[in-house]
Amino acid sequence: QRKVQKKEIRNITMAPTTTNYLDDDRFDGLYLNIANQTQGIEPLLDTVFSFLRRKSDFFAGPPGSSNGKDDAGTEAAIAKVNEVLKKHADIYLRDKRRKEEVELEKKKKKEKQLRRNEEEAPKKKAGQEEDVIE
């Protein structure tokens, strides 16, 4: 019989974030595949947290975080998830506002151009009529 070695990731809570993962699309294919297989956001998140629970020390928290409390590591993990979630929610809202501002500006420019065209139309028509009369 062959032994199956259980691979785990340790100290991922302490991993430095030297790479900007905010707009990193390298894993999009993987996540889309998982999303299609799990058929929903909550099941997708369940797979992420299940992985962290089973294969890492994420829920144990950073070394020395217990401070005599059994659940201090778990509280640190929840705080980290909330921090990352808030960061991405803020980015989403900022991008949404920018997109709305751009759309509003485009709409204003289009309306301004329409008004200008409406104002110039009678002048052009009058100029054409003068050409016909002569």
Side-chain angles (χ1 to χ4, degrees), residues 29-96:
L30 176 67
Y31 287 123
L32 286 170
N33 188 16
I34 295 169
N36 285 329
Q37 289 184 37
T38 58
Q39 298 181 347
I41 297 298
E42 187 172 343
L44 180 137
L45 292 172
D46 280 335
T47 64
V48 170
F49 291 115
S50 172
F51 168 78
L52 291 172
R53 176 180 43 82
R54 292 177 295 105
K55 301 291 185 179
S56 77
D57 62 348
F58 180 73
F59 290 102
S65 66
S66 66
N67 297 332
K69 291 176 64 178
D70 289 340
D71 59 352
T74 305
E75 289 174 4
I78 291 169
K80 181 54 73 177
V81 169
N82 286 334
E83 175 188 325
V84 172
L85 177 61
K86 179 164 179 13
K87 174 175 57 178
H88 285 276
D90 290 345
I91 292 168
Y92 166 78
L93 292 172
R94 181 197 69 209
D95 290 349
K96 182 181 175 196

